[in-house]
Amino acid sequence: MKIYTDKDSSLSILDKSRIVVMGYGNQGRPQALNLRDSGLDVTVSARKGRSGWKKAVADGFAPVGIEEGARLADILLFLLPDELQGKIYKEKVSENLRKGAAISFAHGFSVAFGEIESAAVDLILVAPKGQGERLRKAYLEGSGLACLIAVANDESGKAEKRALAIASGLGCLRVGGFPTTFREEAVSDIFGEQAVLCGGVTGLIKAAYDLLLRRGFSPEVAYFECFEELKIIVDLFQQRGFAGMRDVISGTAAYGGLKYGEKLISGEMIEGMEELFDRIDSGEFARDWLEKASESPEELESLRRQERELSIERAGKVVRGLYDKDGAPKTREGT
Ligand code: NAP
Ligand code: MG
């Protein structure tokens, strides 16, 4: 696979382009700051008087409203929440876009699932693989985050060059840009969230913790073993791969994990994963989420509330309370 770097891109293609970053949140703020620090002409577009607008002013931008942002943009970085993008695009953005403009997304969701279709402008994807805060921190340290890059519509004939230049301005091409499609990025990103990152792993931890409590173990001990040490292991396999991680853990842990632990992932669980995939791939998940986000937001609120009330969250507070925010131990009376 071709991996793009700064050598494949030229920022000068954006010399006369006004870049409008619409939405000044998790991704919008770091992306706007990185692009400005890369010497590009960046304007922030946000809702007047709200927190994004205020932060943009504090960071030295002179923000404009949503419609105005759409009118001014040669390249519009569309960094609003996915569940609102289709509606805001139809009501406030689409009719205001300039001919020859490009919309750049950080996630393939809206285009892949048909919320946004436009034959009149470039549709490009530059999806940094990580949270906005990390994107900014890495940029300031002279590094970057890898990103995925795609083109869904090339109206100007230079959509790919524009995508590469944005990726370069964000600092991502210091590391690497991987070609993909909107659909591949959207389906795999959501599948990864559900099957592993934000569902599979959290569900596994909760189930293992609950089992230890049922067998009479204390919440704090169960928390240490099933939750607290996860980060240590993840850091190890992120740095060294799975096999490298096994090399530096005990033989007991390596043997038990490989011979018995991984057998947990059995037929029924794989079938469940296939169902997750099919629900996402068919667009059913996107339809369900968009409907819930607009018609019954209380469902997500209730799911969040139930999680906050779990025993493992209480045990976590006790354990996390042993350290200050930088991970240093708190000195406590009597110890
Ligand atoms: P976000 O922080 O949740 O929201 C961005 C901004 O949208 C907020 O600051 C909010 O500003 C504004 N907003 C909310 N409702 C609005 C409305 N009705 N009209 C106008 N503005 C509104 O979004 P995000 O997490 O950065 O996500 C943006 C894109 O980046 C998405 O496509 C997402 O998938 C992608 N992405 C996110 C991450 C991540 O780590 N979060 C990682 C990779 C890609 P105000 O309330 O202040 O107006
Ligand atoms: Mg995601």
Side-chain angles (χ1 to χ4, degrees):
M1 179 189 273
K2 167 83 184 159
I3 302 175
Y4 294 103
T5 67
D6 281 323
K7 287 195 206 87
D8 302 299
S9 129
S10 159
L11 271 187
S12 62
I13 187 179
L14 300 178
D15 271 352
K16 294 193 179 67
S17 300
R18 190 198 289 251
I19 295 162
V20 173
V21 174
M22 187 172 283
Y24 205 69
N26 295 320
Q27 282 292 326
R29 179 169 188 266
Q31 295 207 15
L33 294 173
N34 287 9
L35 294 173
R36 183 172 70 180
D37 288 349
S38 293
L40 297 169
D41 174 5
V42 179
T43 301
V44 170
S45 162
R47 291 189 291 187
K48 191 158 191 196
R50 303 282 188 126
S51 97
W53 179 284
K54 287 180 192 155
K55 281 190 199 141
V57 171
D59 290 335
F61 289 103
V64 299
I66 300 293
E67 283 101 334
E68 179 69 0
R71 269 192 291 276
L72 291 174
D74 295 304
I75 316 268
L76 178 68
L77 266 63
F78 205 47
L79 300 178
L80 299 173
D82 296 304
E83 64 276 20
L84 301 177
Q85 287 186 359
K87 186 169 184 310
I88 295 175
Y89 178 77
K90 282 171 205 117
E91 290 174 1
K92 299 187 171 168
V93 171
S94 147
E95 64 191 20
N96 290 313
L97 286 173
R98 288 187 188 186
K99 203 171 174 311
I103 311 180
S104 179
F105 295 83
H107 183 19
F109 188 98
S110 295
V111 173
F113 299 116
E115 282 295 288
I116 294 180
E117 293 171 26
S118 179
V121 296
D122 292 351
L123 297 177
I124 61 185
L125 174 72
V126 181
K129 287 289 96 188
Q131 286 179 320
E133 266 178 40
R134 284 191 57 214
L135 182 74
R136 181 65 182 154
K137 186 165 175 284
Y139 181 93
L140 290 174
E141 288 166 354
S143 177
L145 286 188
C147 72
L148 299 181
I149 294 177
V151 172
N153 196 45
D154 185 4
E155 196 60 17
S156 69
K158 50 186 181 186
E160 188 184 48
K161 287 200 170 80
R162 285 170 146 181
L164 288 170
I166 293 292
S168 174
L170 292 173
C172 297
L173 296 195
R174 294 170 179 171
V175 181
F178 293 76
T180 184
T181 61
F182 275 68
R183 183 159 191 85
E184 184 181 60
E185 189 278 339
V187 172
S188 60
D189 186 85
I190 298 171
F191 177 73
E193 287 167 358
Q194 295 182 16
V196 184
L197 308 172
C198 317
V201 168
T202 51
L204 191 66
I205 294 169
K206 288 173 187 173
Y209 170 93
D210 287 348
L211 182 139
L212 287 181
L213 260 59
R214 283 201 305 280
R215 299 294 179 108
F217 289 68
S218 84
E220 286 79 14
V221 169
Y223 182 88
F224 274 120
E225 302 311 333
C226 299
F227 188 139
E228 180 72 5
E229 292 192 30
L230 181 68
K231 173 151 178 7
I232 299 168
I233 296 297
V234 171
D235 284 348
L236 283 175
F237 66 65
Q238 199 202 25
Q239 289 154 12
R240 315 166 60 109
F242 288 132
M245 174 269 287
R246 309 270 183 208
D247 291 341
V248 295
I249 61 176
S250 69
T252 316
Y255 175 74
L258 280 169
K259 179 145 186 203
Y260 296 110
E262 290 204 354
K263 300 280 182 319
L264 278 175
I265 312 302
S266 61
E268 206 175 318
M269 190 154 166
I270 303 290
E271 275 171 35
M273 270 193 196
E274 302 274 357
E275 271 173 41
L276 288 184
F277 180 87
D278 289 340
R279 188 181 300 112
I280 297 162
D281 191 49
S282 66
E284 185 192 334
F285 170 75
R287 283 192 296 279
D288 171 45
W289 164 227
L290 289 170
E291 187 193 311
K292 294 292 159 55
S294 72
E295 317 275 318
S296 39
E298 65 281 0
E299 182 171 345
L300 176 57
E301 267 321 299
S302 147
L303 291 167
R304 286 185 196 274
R305 201 168 43 246
Q306 285 167 34
E307 184 170 65
R308 257 182 237 118
E309 287 161 7
L310 292 177
S311 155
I312 195 168
E313 290 291 271
R314 285 196 298 279
K317 276 196 188 125
V318 174
V319 173
R320 289 192 297 274
L322 301 171
Y323 304 91
D324 73 13
K325 66 176 175 27
D326 301 316
K330 281 188 185 164
T331 312
R332 285 166 309 117
E333 273 174 46
T335 57

Coordinates of all heavy atoms in Angstrom, one line a residue, residues 147-215:
C147 N -2.9 9.4 9.4 CA -4.2 9.6 9.0 C -4.7 8.8 7.8 O -3.8 8.2 7.1 CB -4.4 11.1 8.6 SG -3.7 11.6 7.1
L148 N -6.0 8.7 7.6 CA -6.5 8.0 6.4 C -7.0 9.1 5.5 O -7.5 10.1 5.9 CB -7.7 7.1 6.8 CG -7.4 6.0 7.8 CD1 -8.6 5.2 8.1 CD2 -6.3 5.1 7.3
I149 N -6.8 8.8 4.2 CA -7.1 9.9 3.2 C -8.0 9.2 2.1 O -7.7 8.1 1.6 CB -5.8 10.4 2.5 CG1 -5.0 11.1 3.6 CG2 -6.1 11.3 1.3 CD1 -3.7 11.6 3.1
A150 N -9.0 10.0 1.7 CA -9.9 9.5 0.6 C -10.5 10.6 -0.2 O -10.6 11.7 0.3 CB -11.0 8.6 1.1
V151 N -10.9 10.3 -1.4 CA -11.7 11.3 -2.3 C -12.9 10.6 -2.7 O -12.9 9.5 -3.2 CB -10.8 11.6 -3.5 CG1 -11.6 12.5 -4.5 CG2 -9.6 12.4 -3.1
A152 N -14.1 11.2 -2.5 CA -15.4 10.6 -2.9 C -15.9 11.4 -4.1 O -16.6 10.8 -4.9 CB -16.4 10.7 -1.8
N153 N -15.5 12.6 -4.3 CA -15.9 13.4 -5.5 C -14.8 14.4 -5.8 O -14.4 15.1 -5.0 CB -17.2 14.1 -5.2 CG -17.9 14.6 -6.4 OD1 -18.0 13.9 -7.4 ND2 -18.3 15.9 -6.5
D154 N -14.4 14.3 -7.1 CA -13.3 15.2 -7.5 C -13.8 16.1 -8.6 O -13.6 15.9 -9.8 CB -12.1 14.3 -8.1 CG -10.9 15.2 -8.5 OD1 -10.9 16.4 -8.2 OD2 -10.0 14.6 -9.0
E155 N -14.4 17.2 -8.1 CA -15.0 18.2 -9.1 C -14.0 19.1 -9.6 O -14.0 19.5 -10.8 CB -16.1 19.0 -8.3 CG -17.1 19.7 -9.1 CD -17.9 18.9 -10.0 OE1 -18.0 17.6 -9.8 OE2 -18.5 19.5 -10.9
S156 N -13.0 19.4 -8.8 CA -12.0 20.4 -9.2 C -10.9 19.8 -10.0 O -10.1 20.5 -10.6 CB -11.4 21.1 -8.0 OG -10.6 20.1 -7.3
G157 N -10.7 18.5 -10.0 CA -9.6 17.8 -10.6 C -8.4 17.8 -9.8 O -7.3 17.3 -10.1
K158 N -8.4 18.5 -8.6 CA -7.3 18.5 -7.7 C -7.6 18.1 -6.3 O -7.0 18.4 -5.3 CB -6.6 19.9 -7.7 CG -7.5 21.0 -7.5 CD -6.8 22.4 -7.7 CE -7.9 23.5 -7.4 NZ -7.4 24.8 -7.6
A159 N -8.7 17.3 -6.2 CA -9.2 16.9 -4.8 C -8.1 16.1 -4.1 O -7.9 16.4 -2.9 CB -10.5 16.0 -5.0
E160 N -7.4 15.2 -4.7 CA -6.4 14.4 -4.0 C -5.3 15.3 -3.5 O -4.8 15.2 -2.3 CB -5.9 13.3 -4.8 CG -5.0 12.4 -4.0 CD -4.3 11.2 -4.7 OE1 -3.8 11.5 -5.8 OE2 -4.4 10.1 -4.3
K161 N -4.9 16.2 -4.3 CA -3.8 17.1 -3.9 C -4.2 18.0 -2.8 O -3.4 18.3 -1.8 CB -3.4 18.1 -5.1 CG -2.6 17.4 -6.2 CD -1.9 18.4 -7.0 CE -0.9 17.8 -8.0 NZ -1.5 17.3 -9.2
R162 N -5.5 18.4 -2.8 CA -6.0 19.2 -1.7 C -6.0 18.4 -0.4 O -5.6 18.9 0.7 CB -7.4 19.7 -2.0 CG -7.5 20.8 -3.0 CD -8.9 21.0 -3.5 NE -9.2 22.4 -3.7 CZ -10.3 22.9 -4.1 NH1 -11.4 22.1 -4.3 NH2 -10.5 24.2 -4.3
A163 N -6.5 17.1 -0.5 CA -6.5 16.3 0.7 C -5.1 16.1 1.3 O -4.9 16.2 2.5 CB -7.2 14.9 0.3
L164 N -4.1 15.9 0.4 CA -2.8 15.6 0.9 C -2.2 16.9 1.5 O -1.5 16.8 2.5 CB -1.9 15.2 -0.3 CG -2.1 13.8 -0.8 CD1 -1.4 13.5 -2.1 CD2 -1.7 12.7 0.3
A165 N -2.6 18.1 0.9 CA -2.1 19.3 1.5 C -2.7 19.6 2.9 O -2.0 20.0 3.9 CB -2.4 20.5 0.6
I166 N -4.0 19.3 3.1 CA -4.6 19.4 4.4 C -3.9 18.4 5.4 O -3.6 18.8 6.5 CB -6.1 19.1 4.3 CG1 -6.8 20.2 3.5 CG2 -6.7 19.0 5.7 CD1 -6.9 21.6 4.2
A167 N -3.7 17.2 4.9 CA -3.1 16.2 5.8 C -1.7 16.7 6.2 O -1.3 16.5 7.4 CB -3.0 14.9 5.1
S168 N -1.0 17.3 5.3 CA 0.4 17.8 5.6 C 0.3 19.0 6.6 O 1.0 19.0 7.5 CB 1.0 18.3 4.2 OG 2.2 18.9 4.5
G169 N -0.6 19.9 6.3 CA -0.8 21.0 7.3 C -1.2 20.6 8.7 O -0.8 21.2 9.7
L170 N -1.9 19.5 8.8 CA -2.2 19.0 10.1 C -1.1 18.3 10.8 O -1.1 18.0 12.0 CB -3.4 17.9 10.0 CG -4.7 18.5 9.6 CD1 -5.7 17.4 9.3 CD2 -5.3 19.5 10.6
G171 N 0.0 18.0 10.1 CA 1.2 17.3 10.6 C 1.1 15.8 10.4 O 2.0 15.1 10.8
C172 N 0.0 15.3 9.8 CA -0.2 13.9 9.7 C 0.8 13.2 8.7 O 1.2 12.1 8.9 CB -1.6 13.6 9.2 SG -2.9 14.1 10.3
L173 N 1.2 14.0 7.7 CA 2.1 13.4 6.7 C 3.6 13.4 7.2 O 4.5 12.8 6.5 CB 2.0 14.1 5.3 CG 0.7 14.0 4.7 CD1 0.8 14.4 3.2 CD2 0.1 12.6 4.8
R174 N 3.9 14.0 8.3 CA 5.2 13.7 8.9 C 5.3 12.3 9.3 O 6.4 11.7 9.4 CB 5.3 14.5 10.2 CG 5.3 16.1 10.0 CD 5.2 16.7 11.4 NE 5.2 18.2 11.3 CZ 5.0 18.9 12.4 NH1 4.7 18.4 13.6 NH2 5.0 20.2 12.3
V175 N 4.1 11.6 9.6 CA 4.1 10.2 10.0 C 3.7 9.3 8.8 O 4.4 8.5 8.4 CB 3.1 10.0 11.1 CG1 3.1 8.6 11.6 CG2 3.5 10.9 12.3
G176 N 2.5 9.6 8.2 CA 2.0 8.8 7.1 C 0.5 8.9 6.9 O -0.3 9.0 7.8
G177 N 0.1 9.0 5.6 CA -1.3 9.0 5.2 C -1.6 7.8 4.4 O -0.9 7.4 3.4
F178 N -2.6 7.1 4.8 CA -3.0 5.8 4.2 C -4.2 6.0 3.3 O -5.2 6.5 3.8 CB -3.3 4.7 5.2 CG -2.0 4.3 6.0 CD1 -1.5 5.2 7.0 CD2 -1.4 3.1 5.8 CE1 -0.4 4.8 7.7 CE2 -0.2 2.8 6.5 CZ 0.3 3.6 7.4
P179 N -4.2 5.6 2.0 CA -5.3 5.8 1.2 C -6.5 4.8 1.6 O -6.2 3.7 1.9 CB -4.8 5.4 -0.2 CG -3.5 4.7 0.0 CD -3.0 5.0 1.3
T180 N -7.7 5.3 1.5 CA -8.8 4.5 1.8 C -10.0 5.0 1.0 O -9.8 5.9 0.1 CB -9.1 4.5 3.3 OG1 -10.2 3.6 3.6 CG2 -9.5 5.9 3.8
T181 N -11.2 4.6 1.3 CA -12.4 5.1 0.7 C -13.3 5.6 1.9 O -13.1 5.2 3.1 CB -13.3 4.1 0.0 OG1 -13.6 3.1 0.9 CG2 -12.5 3.5 -1.2
F182 N -14.3 6.5 1.7 CA -15.2 6.9 2.7 C -15.8 5.7 3.4 O -15.9 5.7 4.6 CB -16.2 7.9 2.2 CG -15.8 9.3 2.1 CD1 -14.8 9.7 1.2 CD2 -16.4 10.3 2.9 CE1 -14.4 11.0 1.1 CE2 -16.0 11.6 2.8 CZ -15.0 12.0 1.9
R183 N -16.3 4.8 2.6 CA -17.0 3.7 3.1 C -16.1 2.8 4.0 O -16.5 2.4 5.0 CB -17.6 2.8 1.9 CG -18.4 1.7 2.3 CD -19.4 1.2 1.3 NE -20.2 0.3 2.0 CZ -21.3 0.7 2.7 NH1 -21.7 1.9 2.7 NH2 -22.0 -0.2 3.3
E184 N -14.9 2.5 3.4 CA -14.0 1.6 4.2 C -13.7 2.3 5.6 O -13.7 1.6 6.6 CB -12.7 1.4 3.4 CG -11.8 0.4 4.2 CD -10.5 0.2 3.4 OE1 -9.7 1.1 3.2 OE2 -10.2 -1.0 3.1
E185 N -13.4 3.6 5.5 CA -13.1 4.3 6.8 C -14.2 4.3 7.7 O -14.1 4.0 8.9 CB -12.6 5.7 6.5 CG -12.0 6.5 7.7 CD -13.1 7.1 8.6 OE1 -14.2 7.3 8.3 OE2 -12.7 7.4 9.8
A186 N -15.4 4.6 7.2 CA -16.6 4.7 8.1 C -17.0 3.4 8.7 O -17.2 3.3 9.9 CB -17.8 5.3 7.3
V187 N -17.1 2.3 7.9 CA -17.5 1.0 8.4 C -16.4 0.5 9.4 O -16.8 0.0 10.5 CB -17.8 0.0 7.2 CG1 -18.0 -1.4 7.8 CG2 -19.0 0.5 6.4
S188 N -15.2 0.6 9.0 CA -14.1 0.0 9.9 C -14.0 0.8 11.2 O -13.8 0.2 12.3 CB -12.8 -0.1 9.2 OG -12.4 1.2 8.8
D189 N -14.1 2.1 11.1 CA -14.0 2.9 12.3 C -15.1 2.6 13.3 O -14.9 2.4 14.5 CB -14.1 4.4 11.9 CG -13.8 5.3 13.1 OD1 -12.7 5.6 13.3 OD2 -14.8 5.8 13.7
I190 N -16.3 2.5 12.8 CA -17.5 2.2 13.7 C -17.4 0.8 14.2 O -17.7 0.5 15.4 CB -18.8 2.5 13.0 CG1 -18.9 4.0 12.6 CG2 -20.0 2.1 13.8 CD1 -20.0 4.3 11.7
F191 N -17.0 -0.2 13.3 CA -16.9 -1.6 13.7 C -15.8 -1.7 14.8 O -16.0 -2.3 15.8 CB -16.5 -2.4 12.5 CG -16.3 -3.9 12.9 CD1 -17.4 -4.7 13.3 CD2 -15.0 -4.4 13.0 CE1 -17.2 -6.0 13.6 CE2 -14.8 -5.7 13.4 CZ -15.9 -6.5 13.7
G192 N -14.7 -1.0 14.6 CA -13.6 -1.0 15.6 C -14.1 -0.5 17.0 O -13.8 -1.0 18.0
E193 N -14.9 0.6 16.9 CA -15.4 1.2 18.2 C -16.3 0.2 18.9 O -16.2 0.0 20.1 CB -16.3 2.4 17.9 CG -15.4 3.6 17.4 CD -16.2 4.8 16.8 OE1 -17.5 4.6 16.7 OE2 -15.6 5.8 16.5
Q194 N -17.2 -0.5 18.1 CA -18.2 -1.4 18.8 C -17.6 -2.7 19.2 O -17.8 -3.2 20.3 CB -19.4 -1.6 17.8 CG -20.1 -0.3 17.6 CD -21.4 -0.5 16.7 OE1 -21.8 -1.7 16.5 NE2 -21.9 0.6 16.2
A195 N -16.8 -3.3 18.3 CA -16.3 -4.7 18.5 C -15.1 -4.7 19.5 O -15.0 -5.6 20.3 CB -15.8 -5.3 17.2
V196 N -14.3 -3.6 19.5 CA -13.1 -3.6 20.3 C -13.1 -2.4 21.3 O -13.2 -2.6 22.5 CB -11.8 -3.6 19.4 CG1 -10.6 -3.7 20.3 CG2 -11.8 -4.7 18.4
L197 N -12.9 -1.2 20.8 CA -12.5 -0.1 21.6 C -13.5 0.4 22.6 O -13.1 0.6 23.8 CB -12.1 1.1 20.7 CG -11.1 0.8 19.5 CD1 -11.0 2.0 18.6 CD2 -9.8 0.4 20.1
C198 N -14.7 0.6 22.2 CA -15.7 1.2 23.1 C -16.8 0.3 23.5 O -17.8 0.7 24.1 CB -16.3 2.5 22.5 SG -15.1 3.5 21.6
G199 N -16.7 -1.0 23.1 CA -17.8 -2.0 23.4 C -17.2 -3.3 23.8 O -17.4 -3.8 25.0
G200 N -16.5 -3.9 22.9 CA -15.9 -5.3 23.2 C -15.0 -5.3 24.5 O -15.2 -6.1 25.4
V201 N -14.1 -4.3 24.5 CA -13.2 -4.3 25.6 C -13.8 -3.9 26.9 O -13.6 -4.6 28.0 CB -12.0 -3.3 25.3 CG1 -11.2 -3.1 26.6 CG2 -11.1 -3.9 24.2
T202 N -14.7 -2.9 26.9 CA -15.3 -2.4 28.1 C -16.3 -3.5 28.6 O -16.3 -3.8 29.8 CB -16.1 -1.1 27.9 OG1 -16.9 -1.2 26.7 CG2 -15.1 0.0 27.6
G203 N -17.0 -4.2 27.7 CA -17.9 -5.3 28.1 C -17.1 -6.4 28.7 O -17.6 -7.0 29.7
L204 N -16.0 -6.8 28.2 CA -15.1 -7.9 28.7 C -14.7 -7.6 30.1 O -14.7 -8.4 31.0 CB -13.9 -8.1 27.8 CG -13.1 -9.3 27.9 CD1 -13.9 -10.6 27.6 CD2 -11.9 -9.2 27.0
I205 N -14.2 -6.3 30.3 CA -13.7 -5.9 31.6 C -14.9 -6.0 32.6 O -14.7 -6.5 33.7 CB -13.2 -4.4 31.6 CG1 -12.0 -4.4 30.7 CG2 -12.9 -3.9 33.0 CD1 -11.5 -2.9 30.4
K206 N -16.0 -5.5 32.3 CA -17.2 -5.5 33.2 C -17.6 -6.9 33.6 O -17.8 -7.2 34.7 CB -18.4 -4.8 32.6 CG -18.2 -3.3 32.5 CD -19.4 -2.7 31.7 CE -19.2 -1.2 31.4 NZ -20.2 -0.6 30.5
A207 N -17.6 -7.8 32.6 CA -18.0 -9.2 32.8 C -17.0 -9.9 33.7 O -17.4 -10.6 34.7 CB -18.2 -9.9 31.5
A208 N -15.7 -9.7 33.5 CA -14.7 -10.3 34.3 C -14.7 -9.8 35.8 O -14.6 -10.6 36.7 CB -13.3 -10.1 33.7
Y209 N -14.9 -8.5 35.9 CA -15.0 -7.9 37.2 C -16.2 -8.4 38.0 O -16.1 -8.8 39.1 CB -15.1 -6.3 37.0 CG -15.4 -5.5 38.2 CD1 -14.4 -5.0 39.0 CD2 -16.7 -5.3 38.6 CE1 -14.7 -4.2 40.2 CE2 -17.0 -4.5 39.7 CZ -16.0 -4.0 40.5 OH -16.3 -3.3 41.6
D210 N -17.3 -8.5 37.3 CA -18.6 -9.0 38.0 C -18.4 -10.4 38.4 O -18.8 -10.8 39.5 CB -19.8 -8.9 37.0 CG -20.2 -7.5 36.8 OD1 -19.8 -6.6 37.5 OD2 -21.0 -7.2 35.8
L211 N -17.7 -11.2 37.6 CA -17.5 -12.6 38.0 C -16.7 -12.7 39.3 O -17.0 -13.4 40.2 CB -16.8 -13.4 36.9 CG -16.6 -14.9 37.2 CD1 -16.9 -15.7 36.0 CD2 -15.2 -15.2 37.8
L212 N -15.6 -11.9 39.4 CA -14.8 -11.9 40.6 C -15.6 -11.5 41.8 O -15.5 -12.1 42.9 CB -13.5 -11.0 40.4 CG -12.4 -11.6 39.5 CD1 -11.2 -10.6 39.4 CD2 -12.0 -13.0 40.0
L213 N -16.5 -10.5 41.6 CA -17.3 -10.1 42.8 C -18.3 -11.2 43.2 O -18.4 -11.5 44.4 CB -18.1 -8.8 42.4 CG -17.5 -7.5 43.0 CD1 -16.1 -7.3 42.5 CD2 -18.3 -6.3 42.7
R214 N -18.9 -11.9 42.2 CA -19.8 -13.0 42.5 C -19.0 -14.1 43.2 O -19.6 -14.8 44.1 CB -20.3 -13.6 41.2 CG -21.4 -12.8 40.6 CD -22.3 -13.6 39.6 NE -21.6 -14.3 38.6 CZ -21.1 -13.8 37.5 NH1 -21.4 -12.5 37.2 NH2 -20.5 -14.5 36.6
R215 N -17.7 -14.2 43.0 CA -17.0 -15.3 43.6 C -16.3 -14.8 45.0 O -15.4 -15.4 45.5 CB -15.9 -15.8 42.7 CG -16.4 -16.4 41.4 CD -17.1 -17.7 41.7 NE -17.6 -18.3 40.5 CZ -17.2 -19.4 39.9 NH1 -16.2 -20.1 40.5 NH2 -17.7 -19.9 38.8

